[in-house]
Amino acid sequence: MRPFLAYDDHNDIYSQNPRTPLLLVHGHPFDRTMWHPQATAFARTRRVIAPDLRGYGTSPVTPGITPLSRFAADIEELLDALDVPACVLAGLSMGGQIVMECYDRLGPERVRGLVLADTFPDPETAEGRQDRNAMAYRLLREGMGGYADEVLEKMVAPDAHPDVKAHVHRMMAATDPKGAAAALRGRAERPDYRPLLTKVTVPALVVVGRDDTYTPVSDAEAMHALLPDAALRVIDRAAHLPNLERPEEFNEALAEFLARVDEAR
């Protein structure tokens, strides 16, 4: 069956590669190119899959509302279509919440490790639900350009490389407003993942940029405390996208984590 999602599949000769595959889940409002530094580094030694989520990049857009459960179902269908029996799931921001939803859906037999970057497990507040729905309406009305201009300096630290800033802005501005709005509405209805995290039986890595104001270090510390078997890495001179802002530090933490998961196989 042809996968619904657009994706990159690096080093896909899985039978000749004993290392655990890595699937990378991007955040909002980005696309799979946000994982270029990780795909480039880790595809040398293992299978790396990077999809565009429904409504983002070159994947199909479904207007209305896209709950996190739908994103997780899309990822399960992609794993089935690519004949991937188990993998490490890494997600950033909204992508991290999708990873939590995937673990709830697929369990430890299929998800061998969790990487939760610049994300949080709490349910939406009443104020947050109102804000996300209002933003969805605004994006449909105005498009993505003004939003991209406004939030760029919160997405990345002030001293981020100009090429990184340009890449982040380009991803945001190119996102289809209908896909972004559908995701915002779905995310506004997300469940509380905190009870789930206390029952996770696989290793986890929590990563956060020290200057992240969307998901501050305190959120990462609280999430780390919930997980039975987790490491925490705080990356200096990075905001909400440490994988792009400080790829060497992010990749170092990810490499150590993946080596541990591989040893446990």
Side-chain angles (χ1 to χ4, degrees), residues 150-185:
E150 287 175 18
V151 304
L152 179 61
E153 297 300 328
K154 291 182 67 177
M155 291 293 184
V156 298
D159 62 345
H161 194 282
D163 290 347
V164 171
K165 290 186 177 182
H167 180 197
V168 172
H169 189 278
R170 185 166 57 249
M171 286 190 292
M172 293 192 291
T175 296
D176 190 309
K178 295 187 293 295
L184 283 167
R185 291 176 179 140

PDB file of all heavy atoms in Angstrom, residues 150-185:
ATOM      1  N   GLU A 150       6.563  37.011  13.072  1.00  0.00           N
ATOM      2  CA  GLU A 150       6.397  37.305  14.492  1.00  0.00           C
ATOM      3  C   GLU A 150       7.148  36.326  15.390  1.00  0.00           C
ATOM      4  O   GLU A 150       7.718  36.731  16.411  1.00  0.00           O
ATOM      5  CB  GLU A 150       4.912  37.270  14.856  1.00  0.00           C
ATOM      6  CG  GLU A 150       4.126  38.443  14.355  1.00  0.00           C
ATOM      7  CD  GLU A 150       2.638  38.272  14.644  1.00  0.00           C
ATOM      8  OE1 GLU A 150       2.297  37.428  15.504  1.00  0.00           O
ATOM      9  OE2 GLU A 150       1.836  38.968  14.014  1.00  0.00           O
ATOM     10  N   VAL A 151       7.122  35.049  15.055  1.00  0.00           N
ATOM     11  CA  VAL A 151       7.617  34.038  15.992  1.00  0.00           C
ATOM     12  C   VAL A 151       9.044  33.584  15.712  1.00  0.00           C
ATOM     13  O   VAL A 151       9.616  32.833  16.511  1.00  0.00           O
ATOM     14  CB  VAL A 151       6.692  32.801  16.018  1.00  0.00           C
ATOM     15  CG1 VAL A 151       5.266  33.207  16.364  1.00  0.00           C
ATOM     16  CG2 VAL A 151       6.735  32.036  14.700  1.00  0.00           C
ATOM     17  N   LEU A 152       9.635  34.041  14.625  1.00  0.00           N
ATOM     18  CA  LEU A 152      10.966  33.544  14.273  1.00  0.00           C
ATOM     19  C   LEU A 152      11.961  33.705  15.415  1.00  0.00           C
ATOM     20  O   LEU A 152      12.719  32.776  15.737  1.00  0.00           O
ATOM     21  CB  LEU A 152      11.479  34.263  13.023  1.00  0.00           C
ATOM     22  CG  LEU A 152      12.890  33.856  12.564  1.00  0.00           C
ATOM     23  CD1 LEU A 152      12.948  32.374  12.214  1.00  0.00           C
ATOM     24  CD2 LEU A 152      13.339  34.714  11.378  1.00  0.00           C
ATOM     25  N   GLU A 153      11.970  34.860  16.056  1.00  0.00           N
ATOM     26  CA  GLU A 153      12.959  35.130  17.099  1.00  0.00           C
ATOM     27  C   GLU A 153      12.657  34.387  18.401  1.00  0.00           C
ATOM     28  O   GLU A 153      13.476  34.390  19.319  1.00  0.00           O
ATOM     29  CB  GLU A 153      13.046  36.635  17.368  1.00  0.00           C
ATOM     30  CG  GLU A 153      13.519  37.450  16.171  1.00  0.00           C
ATOM     31  CD  GLU A 153      14.921  37.046  15.698  1.00  0.00           C
ATOM     32  OE1 GLU A 153      15.739  36.643  16.546  1.00  0.00           O
ATOM     33  OE2 GLU A 153      15.179  37.132  14.488  1.00  0.00           O
ATOM     34  N   LYS A 154      11.484  33.750  18.501  1.00  0.00           N
ATOM     35  CA  LYS A 154      11.212  32.853  19.622  1.00  0.00           C
ATOM     36  C   LYS A 154      11.558  31.409  19.273  1.00  0.00           C
ATOM     37  O   LYS A 154      11.899  30.618  20.160  1.00  0.00           O
ATOM     38  CB  LYS A 154       9.740  32.936  20.028  1.00  0.00           C
ATOM     39  CG  LYS A 154       9.324  34.246  20.680  1.00  0.00           C
ATOM     40  CD  LYS A 154       7.874  34.225  21.100  1.00  0.00           C
ATOM     41  CE  LYS A 154       7.616  33.244  22.234  1.00  0.00           C
ATOM     42  NZ  LYS A 154       6.216  33.271  22.700  1.00  0.00           N
ATOM     43  N   MET A 155      11.476  31.088  18.002  1.00  0.00           N
ATOM     44  CA  MET A 155      11.791  29.726  17.583  1.00  0.00           C
ATOM     45  C   MET A 155      13.279  29.432  17.716  1.00  0.00           C
ATOM     46  O   MET A 155      13.675  28.315  18.072  1.00  0.00           O
ATOM     47  CB  MET A 155      11.355  29.497  16.132  1.00  0.00           C
ATOM     48  CG  MET A 155       9.854  29.485  15.926  1.00  0.00           C
ATOM     49  SD  MET A 155       9.071  28.067  16.709  1.00  0.00           S
ATOM     50  CE  MET A 155       7.372  28.298  16.171  1.00  0.00           C
ATOM     51  N   VAL A 156      14.114  30.421  17.431  1.00  0.00           N
ATOM     52  CA  VAL A 156      15.562  30.242  17.497  1.00  0.00           C
ATOM     53  C   VAL A 156      16.168  31.333  18.365  1.00  0.00           C
ATOM     54  O   VAL A 156      15.600  32.417  18.521  1.00  0.00           O
ATOM     55  CB  VAL A 156      16.206  30.258  16.090  1.00  0.00           C
ATOM     56  CG1 VAL A 156      15.684  29.102  15.249  1.00  0.00           C
ATOM     57  CG2 VAL A 156      15.947  31.577  15.373  1.00  0.00           C
ATOM     58  N   ALA A 157      17.329  31.038  18.936  1.00  0.00           N
ATOM     59  CA  ALA A 157      18.022  32.002  19.783  1.00  0.00           C
ATOM     60  C   ALA A 157      18.537  33.180  18.950  1.00  0.00           C
ATOM     61  O   ALA A 157      18.758  33.045  17.739  1.00  0.00           O
ATOM     62  CB  ALA A 157      19.178  31.317  20.510  1.00  0.00           C
ATOM     63  N   PRO A 158      18.749  34.337  19.585  1.00  0.00           N
ATOM     64  CA  PRO A 158      19.170  35.524  18.838  1.00  0.00           C
ATOM     65  C   PRO A 158      20.448  35.333  18.032  1.00  0.00           C
ATOM     66  O   PRO A 158      20.596  35.928  16.959  1.00  0.00           O
ATOM     67  CB  PRO A 158      19.361  36.575  19.944  1.00  0.00           C
ATOM     68  CG  PRO A 158      18.461  36.131  21.045  1.00  0.00           C
ATOM     69  CD  PRO A 158      18.489  34.633  21.007  1.00  0.00           C
ATOM     70  N   ASP A 159      21.374  34.499  18.529  1.00  0.00           N
ATOM     71  CA  ASP A 159      22.639  34.342  17.814  1.00  0.00           C
ATOM     72  C   ASP A 159      22.650  33.128  16.900  1.00  0.00           C
ATOM     73  O   ASP A 159      23.715  32.670  16.477  1.00  0.00           O
ATOM     74  CB  ASP A 159      23.802  34.263  18.804  1.00  0.00           C
ATOM     75  CG  ASP A 159      23.710  33.060  19.736  1.00  0.00           C
ATOM     76  OD1 ASP A 159      22.616  32.454  19.818  1.00  0.00           O
ATOM     77  OD2 ASP A 159      24.722  32.727  20.384  1.00  0.00           O
ATOM     78  N   ALA A 160      21.478  32.605  16.555  1.00  0.00           N
ATOM     79  CA  ALA A 160      21.424  31.494  15.605  1.00  0.00           C
ATOM     80  C   ALA A 160      21.989  31.942  14.260  1.00  0.00           C
ATOM     81  O   ALA A 160      21.886  33.114  13.868  1.00  0.00           O
ATOM     82  CB  ALA A 160      19.990  31.013  15.436  1.00  0.00           C
ATOM     83  N   HIS A 161      22.566  31.005  13.540  1.00  0.00           N
ATOM     84  CA  HIS A 161      23.172  31.319  12.247  1.00  0.00           C
ATOM     85  C   HIS A 161      22.099  31.845  11.292  1.00  0.00           C
ATOM     86  O   HIS A 161      20.970  31.338  11.280  1.00  0.00           O
ATOM     87  CB  HIS A 161      23.822  30.070  11.660  1.00  0.00           C
ATOM     88  CG  HIS A 161      24.735  30.346  10.516  1.00  0.00           C
ATOM     89  ND1 HIS A 161      24.273  30.612   9.242  1.00  0.00           N
ATOM     90  CD2 HIS A 161      26.097  30.399  10.445  1.00  0.00           C
ATOM     91  CE1 HIS A 161      25.297  30.815   8.432  1.00  0.00           C
ATOM     92  NE2 HIS A 161      26.413  30.700   9.137  1.00  0.00           N
ATOM     93  N   PRO A 162      22.435  32.847  10.474  1.00  0.00           N
ATOM     94  CA  PRO A 162      21.438  33.378   9.525  1.00  0.00           C
ATOM     95  C   PRO A 162      20.835  32.322   8.610  1.00  0.00           C
ATOM     96  O   PRO A 162      19.649  32.414   8.254  1.00  0.00           O
ATOM     97  CB  PRO A 162      22.237  34.417   8.729  1.00  0.00           C
ATOM     98  CG  PRO A 162      23.316  34.853   9.651  1.00  0.00           C
ATOM     99  CD  PRO A 162      23.685  33.639  10.448  1.00  0.00           C
ATOM    100  N   ASP A 163      21.620  31.327   8.231  1.00  0.00           N
ATOM    101  CA  ASP A 163      21.073  30.265   7.375  1.00  0.00           C
ATOM    102  C   ASP A 163      20.015  29.456   8.112  1.00  0.00           C
ATOM    103  O   ASP A 163      19.028  29.008   7.502  1.00  0.00           O
ATOM    104  CB  ASP A 163      22.193  29.336   6.898  1.00  0.00           C
ATOM    105  CG  ASP A 163      23.125  29.993   5.900  1.00  0.00           C
ATOM    106  OD1 ASP A 163      22.771  31.078   5.384  1.00  0.00           O
ATOM    107  OD2 ASP A 163      24.213  29.439   5.643  1.00  0.00           O
ATOM    108  N   VAL A 164      20.214  29.253   9.410  1.00  0.00           N
ATOM    109  CA  VAL A 164      19.218  28.530  10.206  1.00  0.00           C
ATOM    110  C   VAL A 164      17.947  29.360  10.309  1.00  0.00           C
ATOM    111  O   VAL A 164      16.833  28.837  10.129  1.00  0.00           O
ATOM    112  CB  VAL A 164      19.774  28.203  11.603  1.00  0.00           C
ATOM    113  CG1 VAL A 164      18.680  27.655  12.515  1.00  0.00           C
ATOM    114  CG2 VAL A 164      20.921  27.204  11.490  1.00  0.00           C
ATOM    115  N   LYS A 165      18.098  30.647  10.591  1.00  0.00           N
ATOM    116  CA  LYS A 165      16.917  31.515  10.663  1.00  0.00           C
ATOM    117  C   LYS A 165      16.155  31.510   9.344  1.00  0.00           C
ATOM    118  O   LYS A 165      14.908  31.445   9.331  1.00  0.00           O
ATOM    119  CB  LYS A 165      17.341  32.934  11.028  1.00  0.00           C
ATOM    120  CG  LYS A 165      17.837  33.102  12.449  1.00  0.00           C
ATOM    121  CD  LYS A 165      18.093  34.566  12.772  1.00  0.00           C
ATOM    122  CE  LYS A 165      18.530  34.739  14.215  1.00  0.00           C
ATOM    123  NZ  LYS A 165      18.744  36.162  14.583  1.00  0.00           N
ATOM    124  N   ALA A 166      16.878  31.568   8.239  1.00  0.00           N
ATOM    125  CA  ALA A 166      16.226  31.582   6.930  1.00  0.00           C
ATOM    126  C   ALA A 166      15.488  30.269   6.677  1.00  0.00           C
ATOM    127  O   ALA A 166      14.377  30.256   6.134  1.00  0.00           O
ATOM    128  CB  ALA A 166      17.259  31.838   5.839  1.00  0.00           C
ATOM    129  N   HIS A 167      16.101  29.162   7.058  1.00  0.00           N
ATOM    130  CA  HIS A 167      15.470  27.850   6.883  1.00  0.00           C
ATOM    131  C   HIS A 167      14.188  27.759   7.704  1.00  0.00           C
ATOM    132  O   HIS A 167      13.141  27.317   7.213  1.00  0.00           O
ATOM    133  CB  HIS A 167      16.466  26.760   7.288  1.00  0.00           C
ATOM    134  CG  HIS A 167      15.936  25.374   7.160  1.00  0.00           C
ATOM    135  ND1 HIS A 167      16.538  24.301   7.781  1.00  0.00           N
ATOM    136  CD2 HIS A 167      14.852  24.856   6.512  1.00  0.00           C
ATOM    137  CE1 HIS A 167      15.862  23.198   7.498  1.00  0.00           C
ATOM    138  NE2 HIS A 167      14.834  23.509   6.742  1.00  0.00           N
ATOM    139  N   VAL A 168      14.252  28.176   8.970  1.00  0.00           N
ATOM    140  CA  VAL A 168      13.081  28.098   9.844  1.00  0.00           C
ATOM    141  C   VAL A 168      11.957  28.981   9.300  1.00  0.00           C
ATOM    142  O   VAL A 168      10.793  28.570   9.240  1.00  0.00           O
ATOM    143  CB  VAL A 168      13.460  28.494  11.281  1.00  0.00           C
ATOM    144  CG1 VAL A 168      12.218  28.598  12.158  1.00  0.00           C
ATOM    145  CG2 VAL A 168      14.434  27.476  11.858  1.00  0.00           C
ATOM    146  N   HIS A 169      12.287  30.186   8.902  1.00  0.00           N
ATOM    147  CA  HIS A 169      11.267  31.084   8.356  1.00  0.00           C
ATOM    148  C   HIS A 169      10.667  30.504   7.079  1.00  0.00           C
ATOM    149  O   HIS A 169       9.438  30.573   6.870  1.00  0.00           O
ATOM    150  CB  HIS A 169      11.874  32.461   8.085  1.00  0.00           C
ATOM    151  CG  HIS A 169      10.854  33.507   7.734  1.00  0.00           C
ATOM    152  ND1 HIS A 169      10.346  33.656   6.462  1.00  0.00           N
ATOM    153  CD2 HIS A 169      10.216  34.444   8.496  1.00  0.00           C
ATOM    154  CE1 HIS A 169       9.463  34.639   6.444  1.00  0.00           C
ATOM    155  NE2 HIS A 169       9.366  35.128   7.676  1.00  0.00           N
ATOM    156  N   ARG A 170      11.491  29.942   6.240  1.00  0.00           N
ATOM    157  CA  ARG A 170      11.010  29.372   4.976  1.00  0.00           C
ATOM    158  C   ARG A 170      10.028  28.233   5.221  1.00  0.00           C
ATOM    159  O   ARG A 170       8.980  28.146   4.562  1.00  0.00           O
ATOM    160  CB  ARG A 170      12.204  28.891   4.162  1.00  0.00           C
ATOM    161  CG  ARG A 170      11.860  28.381   2.772  1.00  0.00           C
ATOM    162  CD  ARG A 170      13.111  28.245   1.930  1.00  0.00           C
ATOM    163  NE  ARG A 170      14.118  27.376   2.537  1.00  0.00           N
ATOM    164  CZ  ARG A 170      15.278  27.799   3.024  1.00  0.00           C
ATOM    165  NH1 ARG A 170      15.596  29.083   3.007  1.00  0.00           N
ATOM    166  NH2 ARG A 170      16.151  26.937   3.543  1.00  0.00           N
ATOM    167  N   MET A 171      10.336  27.355   6.178  1.00  0.00           N
ATOM    168  CA  MET A 171       9.424  26.256   6.484  1.00  0.00           C
ATOM    169  C   MET A 171       8.083  26.787   6.967  1.00  0.00           C
ATOM    170  O   MET A 171       7.017  26.315   6.531  1.00  0.00           O
ATOM    171  CB  MET A 171      10.034  25.343   7.557  1.00  0.00           C
ATOM    172  CG  MET A 171      11.150  24.456   7.085  1.00  0.00           C
ATOM    173  SD  MET A 171      11.607  23.220   8.331  1.00  0.00           S
ATOM    174  CE  MET A 171      12.342  24.249   9.612  1.00  0.00           C
ATOM    175  N   MET A 172       8.111  27.746   7.873  1.00  0.00           N
ATOM    176  CA  MET A 172       6.864  28.264   8.429  1.00  0.00           C
ATOM    177  C   MET A 172       6.026  28.961   7.364  1.00  0.00           C
ATOM    178  O   MET A 172       4.809  28.742   7.274  1.00  0.00           O
ATOM    179  CB  MET A 172       7.172  29.221   9.588  1.00  0.00           C
ATOM    180  CG  MET A 172       7.794  28.546  10.800  1.00  0.00           C
ATOM    181  SD  MET A 172       7.835  29.607  12.271  1.00  0.00           S
ATOM    182  CE  MET A 172       9.061  30.831  11.773  1.00  0.00           C
ATOM    183  N   ALA A 173       6.670  29.801   6.565  1.00  0.00           N
ATOM    184  CA  ALA A 173       5.935  30.563   5.558  1.00  0.00           C
ATOM    185  C   ALA A 173       5.363  29.666   4.469  1.00  0.00           C
ATOM    186  O   ALA A 173       4.323  29.996   3.876  1.00  0.00           O
ATOM    187  CB  ALA A 173       6.855  31.620   4.947  1.00  0.00           C
ATOM    188  N   ALA A 174       5.998  28.526   4.214  1.00  0.00           N
ATOM    189  CA  ALA A 174       5.548  27.635   3.146  1.00  0.00           C
ATOM    190  C   ALA A 174       4.446  26.679   3.576  1.00  0.00           C
ATOM    191  O   ALA A 174       3.830  26.017   2.742  1.00  0.00           O
ATOM    192  CB  ALA A 174       6.739  26.829   2.614  1.00  0.00           C
ATOM    193  N   THR A 175       4.176  26.583   4.874  1.00  0.00           N
ATOM    194  CA  THR A 175       3.152  25.657   5.360  1.00  0.00           C
ATOM    195  C   THR A 175       1.771  26.096   4.899  1.00  0.00           C
ATOM    196  O   THR A 175       1.440  27.281   4.928  1.00  0.00           O
ATOM    197  CB  THR A 175       3.196  25.587   6.900  1.00  0.00           C
ATOM    198  OG1 THR A 175       4.441  25.033   7.300  1.00  0.00           O
ATOM    199  CG2 THR A 175       2.070  24.725   7.442  1.00  0.00           C
ATOM    200  N   ASP A 176       0.973  25.126   4.478  1.00  0.00           N
ATOM    201  CA  ASP A 176      -0.396  25.410   4.058  1.00  0.00           C
ATOM    202  C   ASP A 176      -1.222  25.831   5.283  1.00  0.00           C
ATOM    203  O   ASP A 176      -1.287  25.087   6.267  1.00  0.00           O
ATOM    204  CB  ASP A 176      -1.013  24.165   3.415  1.00  0.00           C
ATOM    205  CG  ASP A 176      -2.334  24.451   2.731  1.00  0.00           C
ATOM    206  OD1 ASP A 176      -3.231  25.053   3.364  1.00  0.00           O
ATOM    207  OD2 ASP A 176      -2.488  24.062   1.563  1.00  0.00           O
ATOM    208  N   PRO A 177      -1.852  27.003   5.268  1.00  0.00           N
ATOM    209  CA  PRO A 177      -2.626  27.435   6.432  1.00  0.00           C
ATOM    210  C   PRO A 177      -3.725  26.452   6.835  1.00  0.00           C
ATOM    211  O   PRO A 177      -4.029  26.316   8.027  1.00  0.00           O
ATOM    212  CB  PRO A 177      -3.221  28.777   5.985  1.00  0.00           C
ATOM    213  CG  PRO A 177      -2.329  29.254   4.898  1.00  0.00           C
ATOM    214  CD  PRO A 177      -1.829  28.028   4.206  1.00  0.00           C
ATOM    215  N   LYS A 178      -4.291  25.748   5.870  1.00  0.00           N
ATOM    216  CA  LYS A 178      -5.357  24.792   6.202  1.00  0.00           C
ATOM    217  C   LYS A 178      -4.799  23.625   7.016  1.00  0.00           C
ATOM    218  O   LYS A 178      -5.444  23.150   7.963  1.00  0.00           O
ATOM    219  CB  LYS A 178      -6.027  24.279   4.929  1.00  0.00           C
ATOM    220  CG  LYS A 178      -6.771  25.342   4.135  1.00  0.00           C
ATOM    221  CD  LYS A 178      -7.546  24.768   2.990  1.00  0.00           C
ATOM    222  CE  LYS A 178      -6.662  24.176   1.911  1.00  0.00           C
ATOM    223  NZ  LYS A 178      -5.827  25.183   1.224  1.00  0.00           N
ATOM    224  N   GLY A 179      -3.598  23.158   6.678  1.00  0.00           N
ATOM    225  CA  GLY A 179      -2.984  22.090   7.449  1.00  0.00           C
ATOM    226  C   GLY A 179      -2.579  22.554   8.832  1.00  0.00           C
ATOM    227  O   GLY A 179      -2.783  21.845   9.829  1.00  0.00           O
ATOM    228  N   ALA A 180      -2.007  23.757   8.912  1.00  0.00           N
ATOM    229  CA  ALA A 180      -1.586  24.299  10.202  1.00  0.00           C
ATOM    230  C   ALA A 180      -2.795  24.522  11.114  1.00  0.00           C
ATOM    231  O   ALA A 180      -2.758  24.223  12.310  1.00  0.00           O
ATOM    232  CB  ALA A 180      -0.821  25.604   9.997  1.00  0.00           C
ATOM    233  N   ALA A 181      -3.869  25.047  10.559  1.00  0.00           N
ATOM    234  CA  ALA A 181      -5.062  25.310  11.356  1.00  0.00           C
ATOM    235  C   ALA A 181      -5.684  24.013  11.858  1.00  0.00           C
ATOM    236  O   ALA A 181      -6.131  23.933  13.017  1.00  0.00           O
ATOM    237  CB  ALA A 181      -6.080  26.093  10.519  1.00  0.00           C
ATOM    238  N   ALA A 182      -5.717  22.991  11.008  1.00  0.00           N
ATOM    239  CA  ALA A 182      -6.279  21.702  11.421  1.00  0.00           C
ATOM    240  C   ALA A 182      -5.486  21.108  12.576  1.00  0.00           C
ATOM    241  O   ALA A 182      -6.057  20.541  13.519  1.00  0.00           O
ATOM    242  CB  ALA A 182      -6.312  20.742  10.237  1.00  0.00           C
ATOM    243  N   ALA A 183      -4.160  21.241  12.521  1.00  0.00           N
ATOM    244  CA  ALA A 183      -3.317  20.716  13.593  1.00  0.00           C
ATOM    245  C   ALA A 183      -3.512  21.508  14.881  1.00  0.00           C
ATOM    246  O   ALA A 183      -3.552  20.935  15.976  1.00  0.00           O
ATOM    247  CB  ALA A 183      -1.854  20.738  13.162  1.00  0.00           C
ATOM    248  N   LEU A 184      -3.610  22.819  14.775  1.00  0.00           N
ATOM    249  CA  LEU A 184      -3.833  23.636  15.967  1.00  0.00           C
ATOM    250  C   LEU A 184      -5.134  23.250  16.658  1.00  0.00           C
ATOM    251  O   LEU A 184      -5.194  23.128  17.887  1.00  0.00           O
ATOM    252  CB  LEU A 184      -3.858  25.115  15.580  1.00  0.00           C
ATOM    253  CG  LEU A 184      -2.509  25.779  15.311  1.00  0.00           C
ATOM    254  CD1 LEU A 184      -2.711  27.132  14.646  1.00  0.00           C
ATOM    255  CD2 LEU A 184      -1.715  25.929  16.595  1.00  0.00           C
ATOM    256  N   ARG A 185      -6.173  23.044  15.885  1.00  0.00           N
ATOM    257  CA  ARG A 185      -7.460  22.654  16.474  1.00  0.00           C
ATOM    258  C   ARG A 185      -7.366  21.281  17.139  1.00  0.00           C
ATOM    259  O   ARG A 185      -7.933  21.060  18.214  1.00  0.00           O
ATOM    260  CB  ARG A 185      -8.531  22.644  15.392  1.00  0.00           C
ATOM    261  CG  ARG A 185      -8.894  24.029  14.861  1.00  0.00           C
ATOM    262  CD  ARG A 185      -9.879  23.920  13.730  1.00  0.00           C
ATOM    263  NE  ARG A 185     -10.270  25.233  13.212  1.00  0.00           N
ATOM    264  CZ  ARG A 185     -10.428  25.492  11.920  1.00  0.00           C
ATOM    265  NH1 ARG A 185     -10.224  24.551  11.019  1.00  0.00           N
ATOM    266  NH2 ARG A 185     -10.794  26.696  11.528  1.00  0.00           N
TER     267      ARG A 185
END
